[in-house]
Amino acid sequence: MTAQELEQDIEWTREHLGQTIDELAGQADVKARAARLSDRIRQSQALPRRWPLAVAAGVLIAGTVIIRRRRKRA
């Protein structure tokens, strides 16, 4: 290998090592990973949180209908 080839090889190795370190640092950033996970959980729970309200509204409407029918019969 010539000196120029060695320098190019060293430069490539440095760049590759830098990219690898950046990737590992991103994986080791626990706060950022936890924040992303927390956001995903919040988004996935947004829809299921609404169904109890819909059920409560349905029960309220059904109860009102039943009470009104009973009052009309009496």
Side-chain angles (χ1 to χ4, degrees):
M1 284 186 116
T2 65
Q4 186 177 6
E5 290 174 336
L6 282 173
E7 287 178 16
Q8 288 175 347
D9 190 36
I10 290 170
E11 184 60 31
W12 180 87
T13 302
R14 284 181 181 160
E15 288 177 17
H16 184 69
L17 182 60
Q19 291 172 357
T20 302
I21 289 172
D22 288 344
E23 290 173 10
L24 289 173
Q27 290 178 1
D29 188 359
V30 176
K31 274 188 174 181
R33 290 178 72 188
R36 286 192 300 264
L37 180 61
S38 178
D39 288 342
R40 275 198 239 154
I41 290 172
R42 271 193 227 109
Q43 289 173 356
S44 69
Q45 289 179 347
L47 185 60
R49 287 184 184 172
R50 293 182 186 162
W51 75 265
L53 181 60
V55 170
V59 168
L60 181 63
I61 291 169
T64 303
V65 169
I66 292 170
I67 290 172
R68 286 187 179 179
R69 285 188 180 176
R70 285 186 180 178
R71 286 184 181 171
K72 285 183 181 179
R73 288 182 189 171

Coordinates of all heavy atoms in Angstrom, one line a residue:
M1 N 0.8 -1.2 0.0 CA 0.0 0.0 0.0 C 0.9 1.2 0.0 O 1.9 1.3 0.7 CB -0.9 0.0 1.2 CG -2.1 -0.9 1.2 SD -3.1 -0.6 2.7 CE -4.6 -0.1 1.9
T2 N 0.4 2.2 -0.7 CA 1.2 3.5 -0.8 C 0.7 4.3 0.4 O -0.3 4.1 1.1 CB 0.9 4.2 -2.1 OG1 -0.5 4.6 -2.1 CG2 1.2 3.4 -3.3
A3 N 1.4 5.4 0.6 CA 1.1 6.3 1.7 C -0.2 6.9 1.5 O -1.0 7.1 2.4 CB 2.2 7.4 1.9
Q4 N -0.5 7.3 0.3 CA -1.8 7.9 -0.1 C -3.0 6.9 0.2 O -4.0 7.3 0.7 CB -1.8 8.3 -1.5 CG -3.1 9.1 -1.9 CD -3.0 9.6 -3.3 OE1 -2.1 9.3 -4.1 NE2 -4.0 10.4 -3.7
E5 N -2.8 5.6 -0.2 CA -3.8 4.6 0.1 C -4.1 4.4 1.6 O -5.2 4.3 2.0 CB -3.4 3.3 -0.6 CG -3.5 3.3 -2.1 CD -2.9 2.0 -2.7 OE1 -2.1 1.3 -2.1 OE2 -3.3 1.7 -3.8
L6 N -3.0 4.4 2.3 CA -3.1 4.3 3.8 C -3.9 5.5 4.4 O -4.7 5.3 5.2 CB -1.7 4.2 4.4 CG -1.0 2.9 4.4 CD1 0.4 3.0 4.9 CD2 -1.8 1.9 5.1
E7 N -3.6 6.7 3.9 CA -4.3 7.9 4.4 C -5.8 7.8 4.0 O -6.6 8.2 4.8 CB -3.7 9.2 3.8 CG -2.3 9.5 4.4 CD -1.7 10.7 3.7 OE1 -2.4 11.5 3.0 OE2 -0.5 10.9 3.9
Q8 N -6.1 7.4 2.8 CA -7.5 7.2 2.4 C -8.2 6.2 3.3 O -9.3 6.3 3.7 CB -7.6 6.8 0.9 CG -7.2 8.0 0.0 CD -7.2 7.5 -1.5 OE1 -7.3 6.3 -1.7 NE2 -7.2 8.5 -2.4
D9 N -7.5 5.1 3.5 CA -8.0 4.0 4.4 C -8.3 4.5 5.8 O -9.3 4.2 6.4 CB -7.1 2.8 4.4 CG -7.7 1.6 5.1 OD1 -9.0 1.4 4.9 OD2 -7.0 0.9 5.7
I10 N -7.3 5.3 6.3 CA -7.5 5.9 7.7 C -8.7 6.8 7.7 O -9.5 6.8 8.6 CB -6.2 6.6 8.1 CG1 -5.1 5.5 8.4 CG2 -6.4 7.4 9.4 CD1 -3.7 6.1 8.6
E11 N -8.8 7.7 6.7 CA -9.9 8.6 6.6 C -11.3 7.9 6.5 O -12.2 8.3 7.2 CB -9.7 9.5 5.4 CG -10.8 10.6 5.3 CD -10.8 11.6 6.5 OE1 -9.7 11.8 7.1 OE2 -11.9 12.1 6.8
W12 N -11.3 6.9 5.7 CA -12.6 6.1 5.6 C -12.9 5.5 7.0 O -14.1 5.5 7.4 CB -12.4 5.0 4.5 CG -13.7 4.2 4.4 CD1 -14.8 4.4 3.7 CD2 -14.0 3.0 5.1 NE1 -15.7 3.5 3.8 CE2 -15.3 2.6 4.7 CE3 -13.3 2.2 6.1 CZ2 -15.9 1.4 5.2 CZ3 -14.0 1.1 6.6 CH2 -15.2 0.7 6.2
T13 N -11.9 4.9 7.6 CA -12.1 4.3 8.9 C -12.6 5.3 9.9 O -13.5 5.0 10.7 CB -10.8 3.6 9.4 OG1 -10.4 2.7 8.4 CG2 -11.0 2.9 10.8
R14 N -12.0 6.5 9.9 CA -12.5 7.6 10.9 C -13.9 7.9 10.6 O -14.7 8.1 11.5 CB -11.6 8.8 10.7 CG -10.3 8.7 11.3 CD -9.5 9.9 11.2 NE -8.2 9.8 11.8 CZ -7.1 10.6 11.5 NH1 -7.2 11.5 10.6 NH2 -6.0 10.4 12.1
E15 N -14.3 8.1 9.3 CA -15.7 8.5 9.0 C -16.6 7.3 9.4 O -17.7 7.6 10.0 CB -15.8 8.7 7.5 CG -15.2 10.0 7.1 CD -15.3 10.2 5.6 OE1 -16.1 9.5 4.9 OE2 -14.5 11.1 5.1
H16 N -16.3 6.1 9.1 CA -17.1 5.0 9.5 C -17.2 4.9 11.0 O -18.3 4.6 11.5 CB -16.5 3.7 8.9 CG -17.3 2.5 9.1 ND1 -18.6 2.3 8.5 CD2 -17.1 1.4 9.9 CE1 -19.1 1.1 8.9 NE2 -18.2 0.6 9.8
L17 N -16.1 5.0 11.7 CA -16.2 5.0 13.2 C -17.0 6.1 13.8 O -17.8 5.9 14.7 CB -14.7 5.1 13.7 CG -14.6 5.0 15.2 CD1 -15.1 3.7 15.8 CD2 -13.1 5.1 15.6
G18 N -16.9 7.3 13.2 CA -17.8 8.4 13.6 C -19.2 8.1 13.4 O -20.1 8.4 14.3
Q19 N -19.6 7.5 12.3 CA -21.0 7.2 12.1 C -21.5 6.1 13.1 O -22.6 6.2 13.6 CB -21.2 6.7 10.7 CG -21.0 7.7 9.6 CD -21.0 7.2 8.2 OE1 -21.1 6.0 8.0 NE2 -21.0 8.1 7.2
T20 N -20.6 5.2 13.3 CA -21.0 4.1 14.3 C -21.2 4.7 15.7 O -22.1 4.3 16.4 CB -19.9 3.0 14.3 OG1 -19.7 2.5 13.0 CG2 -20.2 1.9 15.2
I21 N -20.3 5.6 16.1 CA -20.4 6.2 17.4 C -21.7 7.0 17.5 O -22.4 6.9 18.5 CB -19.2 7.0 17.7 CG1 -18.0 6.1 17.9 CG2 -19.4 7.9 18.9 CD1 -16.6 6.8 18.0
D22 N -22.0 7.7 16.4 CA -23.3 8.5 16.5 C -24.5 7.6 16.6 O -25.4 7.9 17.3 CB -23.4 9.3 15.2 CG -22.5 10.5 15.1 OD1 -21.9 10.9 16.2 OD2 -22.2 11.0 14.0
E23 N -24.5 6.5 15.9 CA -25.6 5.5 16.0 C -25.7 4.9 17.4 O -26.8 4.8 18.0 CB -25.4 4.4 15.0 CG -25.6 4.8 13.5 CD -25.3 3.7 12.5 OE1 -25.1 2.6 13.0 OE2 -25.2 4.0 11.3
L24 N -24.6 4.6 18.0 CA -24.6 4.0 19.3 C -25.0 5.0 20.3 O -25.7 4.7 21.3 CB -23.2 3.4 19.7 CG -22.8 2.2 18.9 CD1 -21.3 1.8 19.2 CD2 -23.7 1.0 19.3
A25 N -24.6 6.3 20.2 CA -25.0 7.3 21.1 C -26.5 7.5 21.0 O -27.1 7.8 22.0 CB -24.2 8.6 20.7
G26 N -27.0 7.5 19.8 CA -28.5 7.6 19.7 C -29.2 6.5 20.4 O -30.3 6.7 21.0
Q27 N -28.7 5.3 20.3 CA -29.3 4.1 21.0 C -29.2 4.2 22.5 O -30.0 3.7 23.2 CB -28.8 2.8 20.4 CG -29.1 2.5 19.0 CD -28.5 1.3 18.5 OE1 -27.8 0.6 19.2 NE2 -28.8 0.9 17.3
A28 N -28.1 4.8 22.9 CA -27.9 4.9 24.3 C -28.6 6.1 25.0 O -28.6 6.2 26.2 CB -26.4 5.0 24.6
D29 N -29.2 7.0 24.2 CA -29.9 8.2 24.7 C -31.2 7.7 25.3 O -32.2 7.7 24.6 CB -30.0 9.2 23.6 CG -30.6 10.5 24.1 OD1 -30.8 10.6 25.4 OD2 -30.7 11.5 23.3
V30 N -31.2 7.3 26.5 CA -32.3 6.8 27.2 C -33.5 7.8 27.3 O -34.6 7.4 27.1 CB -32.0 6.2 28.6 CG1 -33.2 5.7 29.3 CG2 -30.9 5.1 28.4
K31 N -33.2 9.0 27.6 CA -34.2 10.0 27.7 C -35.0 10.2 26.4 O -36.2 10.2 26.4 CB -33.6 11.4 28.1 CG -33.4 11.6 29.5 CD -33.0 13.0 29.8 CE -33.0 13.3 31.3 NZ -32.6 14.7 31.6
A32 N -34.3 10.3 25.3 CA -34.9 10.5 24.0 C -35.7 9.3 23.6 O -36.9 9.4 23.1 CB -33.9 10.8 22.9
R33 N -35.2 8.1 23.9 CA -35.9 6.9 23.6 C -37.2 6.8 24.4 O -38.3 6.4 24.0 CB -35.0 5.6 23.8 CG -33.9 5.6 22.7 CD -33.0 4.4 22.9 NE -33.7 3.2 22.6 CZ -33.2 2.0 22.8 NH1 -32.1 1.8 23.4 NH2 -33.9 0.9 22.5
A34 N -37.1 7.1 25.7 CA -38.2 7.1 26.6 C -39.3 8.1 26.2 O -40.5 7.8 26.2 CB -37.8 7.3 28.0
A35 N -38.8 9.2 25.7 CA -39.8 10.2 25.2 C -40.5 9.8 24.0 O -41.8 9.9 23.9 CB -39.1 11.6 25.0
R36 N -39.8 9.1 23.1 CA -40.5 8.6 21.9 C -41.5 7.5 22.2 O -42.6 7.5 21.7 CB -39.4 8.1 20.9 CG -38.7 9.2 20.2 CD -37.9 8.6 19.0 NE -36.9 7.6 19.4 CZ -35.6 7.9 19.7 NH1 -35.1 9.1 19.5 NH2 -34.8 6.9 20.0
L37 N -41.1 6.7 23.2 CA -42.0 5.6 23.6 C -43.2 6.1 24.3 O -44.3 5.7 24.1 CB -41.2 4.6 24.5 CG -42.0 3.4 25.0 CD1 -42.5 2.6 23.9 CD2 -41.2 2.6 26.0
S38 N -43.0 7.1 25.1 CA -44.1 7.8 25.8 C -45.1 8.4 24.9 O -46.3 8.3 25.0 CB -43.5 8.8 26.8 OG -44.6 9.5 27.5
D39 N -44.5 9.1 23.8 CA -45.4 9.7 22.8 C -46.2 8.6 22.1 O -47.4 8.8 21.9 CB -44.6 10.5 21.8 CG -44.0 11.8 22.4 OD1 -44.6 12.2 23.4 OD2 -43.1 12.3 21.8
R40 N -45.6 7.5 21.7 CA -46.3 6.4 21.1 C -47.4 5.8 21.9 O -48.5 5.5 21.5 CB -45.3 5.3 20.7 CG -44.7 5.5 19.4 CD -44.1 4.2 18.9 NE -42.7 4.4 18.7 CZ -41.8 3.5 18.7 NH1 -42.1 2.2 18.9 NH2 -40.5 3.7 18.5
I41 N -47.1 5.7 23.2 CA -48.1 5.1 24.1 C -49.3 6.1 24.3 O -50.4 5.7 24.2 CB -47.5 4.8 25.5 CG1 -46.5 3.7 25.4 CG2 -48.6 4.6 26.6 CD1 -45.7 3.4 26.6
R42 N -49.0 7.4 24.4 CA -50.1 8.4 24.5 C -50.9 8.4 23.2 O -52.2 8.5 23.3 CB -49.5 9.8 24.7 CG -49.3 10.1 26.1 CD -49.0 11.6 26.3 NE -47.9 11.7 27.2 CZ -46.7 12.1 26.9 NH1 -46.4 12.5 25.7 NH2 -45.7 12.1 27.8
Q43 N -50.3 8.3 22.1 CA -51.1 8.3 20.8 C -51.9 7.0 20.7 O -53.0 7.1 20.2 CB -50.1 8.4 19.6 CG -49.5 9.8 19.5 CD -48.5 9.8 18.4 OE1 -48.1 8.8 17.8 NE2 -47.9 11.0 18.2
S44 N -51.4 5.9 21.1 CA -52.1 4.6 21.0 C -53.3 4.6 22.0 O -54.3 3.9 21.8 CB -51.2 3.4 21.2 OG -50.8 3.3 22.5
Q45 N -53.2 5.3 23.1 CA -54.2 5.3 24.2 C -55.2 6.4 24.0 O -56.3 6.4 24.6 CB -53.6 5.4 25.6 CG -52.8 4.2 26.0 CD -52.2 4.4 27.4 OE1 -52.2 5.5 27.9 NE2 -51.8 3.3 28.0
A46 N -55.0 7.3 23.0 CA -55.9 8.4 22.8 C -57.3 7.9 22.4 O -58.3 8.3 22.9 CB -55.4 9.4 21.8
L47 N -57.3 7.0 21.4 CA -58.6 6.4 21.0 C -59.3 5.5 22.0 O -60.5 5.7 22.2 CB -58.3 5.6 19.7 CG -59.6 5.1 19.0 CD1 -60.5 6.2 18.6 CD2 -59.2 4.3 17.7
P48 N -58.6 4.6 22.7 CA -59.3 3.8 23.7 C -59.9 4.6 24.8 O -60.8 4.2 25.4 CB -58.2 2.8 24.1 CG -57.2 2.7 23.0 CD -57.3 4.1 22.4
R49 N -59.3 5.7 25.1 CA -59.8 6.5 26.2 C -61.2 7.1 25.9 O -61.9 7.5 26.8 CB -58.8 7.7 26.6 CG -57.6 7.2 27.3 CD -56.8 8.4 27.7 NE -55.5 8.0 28.3 CZ -54.6 8.7 28.6 NH1 -54.6 10.0 28.3 NH2 -53.5 8.3 29.1
R50 N -61.5 7.2 24.7 CA -62.8 7.8 24.3 C -64.0 6.9 24.4 O -65.1 7.3 24.6 CB -62.7 8.4 22.8 CG -61.7 9.5 22.7 CD -61.7 10.0 21.3 NE -60.7 11.0 21.2 CZ -60.2 11.4 20.1 NH1 -60.6 10.9 18.9 NH2 -59.2 12.4 20.0
W51 N -63.7 5.6 24.3 CA -64.9 4.7 24.3 C -65.6 4.6 25.6 O -66.8 4.5 25.6 CB -64.4 3.2 23.9 CG -63.7 2.5 24.9 CD1 -62.4 2.3 25.0 CD2 -64.2 1.7 25.9 NE1 -62.0 1.5 26.1 CE2 -63.2 1.1 26.7 CE3 -65.5 1.4 26.4 CZ2 -63.4 0.3 27.8 CZ3 -65.7 0.6 27.5 CH2 -64.6 0.0 28.1
P52 N -65.0 4.8 26.8 CA -65.9 4.9 28.0 C -66.9 6.0 28.0 O -68.0 5.9 28.5 CB -64.9 5.1 29.1 CG -63.6 4.5 28.6 CD -63.6 4.9 27.2
L53 N -66.5 7.1 27.4 CA -67.4 8.3 27.3 C -68.6 7.9 26.3 O -69.8 8.2 26.7 CB -66.7 9.5 26.7 CG -67.5 10.8 26.5 CD1 -68.1 11.2 27.9 CD2 -66.7 11.9 25.9
A54 N -68.3 7.2 25.3 CA -69.4 6.8 24.4 C -70.3 5.8 25.0 O -71.5 5.8 24.9 CB -68.8 6.2 23.1
V55 N -69.7 4.9 25.8 CA -70.5 3.9 26.5 C -71.4 4.6 27.6 O -72.6 4.3 27.7 CB -69.7 2.8 27.2 CG1 -70.5 2.0 28.2 CG2 -69.0 2.0 26.2
A56 N -70.8 5.5 28.3 CA -71.6 6.3 29.3 C -72.8 7.0 28.6 O -73.9 7.1 29.2 CB -70.7 7.2 30.1
A57 N -72.5 7.7 27.5 CA -73.6 8.4 26.8 C -74.6 7.4 26.3 O -75.8 7.7 26.5 CB -73.0 9.1 25.6
G58 N -74.3 6.2 25.9 CA -75.2 5.3 25.4 C -76.1 4.8 26.6 O -77.3 4.6 26.4
V59 N -75.5 4.5 27.7 CA -76.2 4.1 28.9 C -77.2 5.2 29.4 O -78.4 4.9 29.7 CB -75.3 3.7 30.0 CG1 -76.0 3.5 31.4 CG2 -74.5 2.4 29.7
L60 N -76.7 6.4 29.3 CA -77.6 7.5 29.7 C -78.8 7.7 28.8 O -79.9 7.8 29.2 CB -76.8 8.8 29.7 CG -77.5 10.1 30.1 CD1 -78.0 10.0 31.6 CD2 -76.6 11.3 29.9
I61 N -78.6 7.6 27.5 CA -79.7 7.6 26.5 C -80.6 6.5 26.7 O -81.9 6.7 26.8 CB -79.1 7.7 25.1 CG1 -78.4 9.0 24.9 CG2 -80.2 7.5 24.1 CD1 -77.6 9.1 23.6
A62 N -80.1 5.3 26.9 CA -81.0 4.1 27.0 C -81.8 4.2 28.3 O -83.0 3.9 28.4 CB -80.1 2.8 27.1
G63 N -81.1 4.7 29.4 CA -81.8 4.8 30.7 C -82.9 5.9 30.5 O -84.1 5.7 31.1
T64 N -82.7 7.0 29.8 CA -83.7 8.0 29.7 C -84.9 7.4 28.9 O -86.1 7.7 29.2 CB -83.1 9.2 28.9 OG1 -82.0 9.7 29.7 CG2 -84.1 10.3 28.7
V65 N -84.6 6.7 27.8 CA -85.7 6.1 27.0 C -86.5 5.1 27.9 O -87.8 5.2 27.8 CB -85.1 5.4 25.8 CG1 -86.2 4.5 25.1 CG2 -84.5 6.4 24.8
I66 N -85.9 4.3 28.6 CA -86.6 3.3 29.5 C -87.5 4.0 30.5 O -88.6 3.7 30.7 CB -85.6 2.4 30.2 CG1 -85.0 1.5 29.1 CG2 -86.3 1.5 31.3 CD1 -83.8 0.6 29.6
I67 N -86.9 5.1 31.2 CA -87.7 5.8 32.2 C -88.9 6.5 31.5 O -90.0 6.4 32.1 CB -86.8 6.8 32.9 CG1 -85.8 6.1 33.8 CG2 -87.6 7.8 33.7 CD1 -84.7 6.9 34.4
R68 N -88.7 7.1 30.4 CA -89.8 7.8 29.7 C -90.9 6.8 29.3 O -92.1 7.1 29.4 CB -89.4 8.5 28.5 CG -88.6 9.8 28.9 CD -88.3 10.6 27.7 NE -87.6 11.8 28.1 CZ -87.2 12.8 27.3 NH1 -87.3 12.6 26.0 NH2 -86.6 13.8 27.8
R69 N -90.5 5.6 28.8 CA -91.5 4.6 28.5 C -92.3 4.1 29.7 O -93.5 3.9 29.6 CB -90.9 3.4 27.8 CG -90.5 3.7 26.3 CD -90.0 2.5 25.6 NE -89.6 2.9 24.3 CZ -89.1 2.0 23.4 NH1 -88.8 0.8 23.8 NH2 -88.8 2.4 22.2
R70 N -91.6 3.9 30.8 CA -92.3 3.4 32.0 C -93.3 4.5 32.5 O -94.4 4.2 33.0 CB -91.3 3.1 33.1 CG -90.6 1.8 32.8 CD -89.7 1.4 33.9 NE -89.0 0.1 33.6 CZ -88.2 -0.5 34.4 NH1 -87.9 0.1 35.6 NH2 -87.6 -1.6 34.1
R71 N -92.9 5.8 32.4 CA -93.8 6.8 32.9 C -95.0 7.0 32.0 O -96.1 7.3 32.5 CB -93.0 8.2 32.9 CG -92.1 8.3 34.0 CD -91.4 9.7 34.1 NE -90.4 9.7 35.2 CZ -89.6 10.7 35.4 NH1 -89.6 11.7 34.5 NH2 -88.8 10.7 36.4
K72 N -94.9 6.7 30.7 CA -96.0 6.8 29.8 C -97.0 5.7 30.1 O -98.2 5.9 30.0 CB -95.6 6.8 28.4 CG -94.9 8.0 27.9 CD -94.5 8.0 26.4 CE -93.9 9.2 26.0 NZ -93.5 9.2 24.6
R73 N -96.5 4.5 30.4 CA -97.4 3.4 30.7 C -98.1 3.5 32.0 O -99.2 3.0 32.2 CB -96.6 2.1 30.8 CG -96.1 1.6 29.4 CD -95.3 0.3 29.6 NE -94.7 0.0 28.3 CZ -93.8 -1.0 28.2 NH1 -93.5 -1.7 29.2 NH2 -93.3 -1.2 27.0
A74 N -97.5 4.2 33.0 CA -98.2 4.3 34.3 C -99.2 5.4 34.4 O -99.8 5.9 33.7 CB -97.1 4.7 35.3

